[in-house]
Amino acid sequence: MHMANLSLPTLFKMMNIPFLDLKAPHQELRAELQQAFNDVLDSGWFIQGNQLQAFEQEYAAYCHVKHCIGVGNGLDALHLILRAYGIGAGDEVIVPSNTFIATWLAVSYAGATPVPVEPDLLTYNIDPKLIEAAITPRTKAIMAVHLYGQPADMDAINAIAARHDLKVIEDAAQSQGALYKGRCSGSLGDAAGHSFYPGKNLGALGDAGAITTNDDDLADKLRVLRNYGSQVKYINEVKGFNSRLDELQAAFLRVKLRKLTAWNNHRKEVADLYLNGINNELLVLPTVPDGIEPSWHLFVVRFANRDALSKYLQDKGIGVVIHYPVPPHLQPAYAELSYVKGQFPVAEEIHNQVVSLPIYPHLHKYQAELVVDAVNKFR
């Protein structure tokens, strides 16, 4: 697309760059999404039908795993994995100190205790070198988050887990399509929780989630747990939950899954443009280790005076978001754990400094170049 071919209203719109555009992908797929809606409506079947079964098969194949179990959202996915493994009261689960609070909440919902471990400041993911010091006789699992779409160091994490007989659970909420040494996110541990919140790389038109695993026994338990603890209607084997990926969202996700690789490739092009174009020495850009191919769910930079950078970009019509302003250990929700400011300084430094720049499949190259130009002129 050449600038000469663009109308003035289009140019003006491109000069005002939202952090995320959720209208464009749905306009691109409008006819297919409408057909998916009609197919579900005409079927008269809205829960646990053919659309769910088809999506589970297709997403399992995409992640190169044996099983996909659709659930209501990403938090439920992580929570139900822990429940299915029998992890609960009196148990501990290793979690990153630097993550969205849902990672911790899943552990709390299961009745276990989240035990935070600091991240590597370069990758923002949990630092494997610090994990073993946090393991106690009560530790039952390590929950590794692929934050911002970049896989954690799973070989190191899996090796630690094997030495201590621990389960490894991936929080893959932000990493659909990411690769770790050629292997897909969602296939790197014992099980993985996925979120299809609308803003994710693979987003539903509402809340939705899934679990992927190669563990046959776990998959069977999860299919029971998500459906009131029942395989046969009105026969409840265990105290289960109501957390099912409905037919309509499954149908929408099937349409969007066919675009995920292309859309992730565009995200990578934007990320490469930022990485190669931004040369402001005041900012810290993302670091991608060898063998890692992020999904680039977010493009996060760090700057000591984050608020000044955010205001500067917003004043120029460039949308930014903070992911995330307060780490879980300092949230009021976890006051009972009695953590204090300064106890996890690396996580706190990250949360005090990060700014997420626009990155999404329908961000035009010219818009990304405007972001680069604005960032480079910031002082």
Side-chain angles (χ1 to χ4, degrees), residues 32-107:
E32 294 169 78
L33 292 169
Q34 188 65 57
Q35 184 60 55
F37 173 84
N38 291 340
D39 290 344
V40 173
L41 188 65
D42 293 342
S43 76
W45 196 288
F46 305 107
I47 297 289
Q48 291 194 284
N50 292 335
Q51 293 289 347
L52 174 62
Q53 184 177 16
F55 172 73
E56 288 177 335
Q57 292 172 348
E58 291 161 7
Y59 194 62
Y62 183 89
C63 295
H64 298 282
V65 294
K66 291 170 64 176
H67 302 284
C68 170
I69 301 94
V71 295
N73 55 68
L75 174 54
D76 282 359
L78 296 172
H79 168 219
L80 291 178
I81 292 169
L82 294 168
R83 290 275 184 174
Y85 275 134
I87 297 171
D91 296 331
E92 295 176 349
V93 177
I94 302 292
V95 295
S97 58
N98 177 49
T99 185
F100 180 58
I101 198 170
T103 312
W104 289 41
L105 289 174
V107 178

Side-chain angles (χ1 to χ4, degrees), residues 74-369:
L75 174 54
D76 282 359
L78 296 172
H79 168 219
L80 291 178
I81 292 169
L82 294 168
R83 290 275 184 174
Y85 275 134
I87 297 171
D91 296 331
E92 295 176 349
V93 177
I94 302 292
V95 295
S97 58
N98 177 49
T99 185
F100 180 58
I101 198 170
T103 312
W104 289 41
L105 289 174
V107 178
S108 299
Y109 287 178
T113 300
V115 176
V117 169
E118 288 273 68
D120 181 331
L121 190 56
L122 289 178
T123 66
Y124 308 133
N125 283 323
I126 193 168
D127 188 341
K129 297 188 298 296
L130 305 178
I131 290 176
E132 286 192 283
I135 294 173
T136 75
R138 294 182 296 277
T139 306
K140 294 295 187 288
I142 302 169
M143 190 172 286
V145 181
H146 306 318
L147 197 64
Y148 309 145
Q150 177 158 293
D153 188 353
M154 294 304 294
D155 283 353
I157 292 168
N158 282 324
I160 294 166
R163 287 197 294 273
H164 296 271
D165 193 25
L166 304 176
K167 296 297 183 183
V168 175
I169 301 165
E170 297 172 75
D171 182 339
Q174 301 182 356
S175 60
Q176 299 101 335
L179 298 178
Y180 175 84
K181 300 181 180 179
R183 292 175 287 151
C184 292
S185 164
S187 70
L188 304 172
D190 292 294
H194 303 254
S195 169
F196 305 125
Y197 182 78
K200 296 297 196 291
N201 292 37
L202 179 62
L205 274 67
D207 274 321
I211 298 156
T212 54
T213 185
N214 287 313
D215 185 333
D216 297 337
D217 183 58
L218 180 74
D220 289 342
K221 290 178 179 178
L222 287 165
R223 292 188 179 103
V224 172
L225 277 176
R226 73 175 174 184
N227 187 40
Y228 295 102
S230 174
Q231 292 186 80
V232 178
K233 196 168 186 178
Y234 304 133
I235 304 298
N236 304 89
E237 303 166 25
V238 296
K239 297 181 182 71
F241 301 84
N242 176 18
S243 182
R244 301 172 297 199
L245 173 58
D246 68 59
E247 285 290 279
L248 192 57
Q249 298 302 340
F252 291 150
L253 287 167
R254 293 184 67 200
V255 171
K256 297 176 82 173
L257 180 59
R258 296 193 286 269
K259 298 292 295 185
L260 181 56
T261 297
W263 284 353
N264 278 353
N265 287 340
H266 185 86
R267 288 175 179 270
K268 183 180 185 303
E269 291 174 3
V270 174
D272 287 344
L273 194 153
Y274 286 163
L275 289 169
N276 295 323
I278 295 175
N279 58 18
N280 188 328
E281 68 280 359
L282 298 175
L283 273 65
V284 178
L285 298 178
T287 297
V288 181
D290 290 341
I292 303 296
E293 296 182 34
S295 64
W296 292 112
H297 173 60
L298 298 172
F299 190 95
V300 179
V301 301
R302 281 181 26 238
F303 177 60
N305 190 355
R306 183 254 310 286
D307 292 344
L309 175 61
S310 297
K311 183 178 186 305
Y312 165 83
L313 292 173
Q314 289 169 341
D315 287 347
K316 289 185 171 296
I318 297 170
V320 297
V321 174
I322 309 305
H323 295 94
Y324 300 96
V326 181
H329 71 279
L330 296 181
Q331 293 283 3
Y334 280 99
E336 80 276 5
L337 296 181
S338 300
Y339 291 124
V340 297
K341 190 172 182 180
Q343 199 158 352
F344 296 97
V346 180
E348 291 173 29
E349 179 179 347
I350 291 168
H351 284 251
N352 287 334
Q353 295 184 354
V354 290
V355 180
S356 298
L357 303 180
I359 187 167
Y360 44 89
H362 295 77
L363 184 72
H364 192 277
K365 179 182 177 183
Y366 180 69
Q367 292 176 301
E369 289 171 343

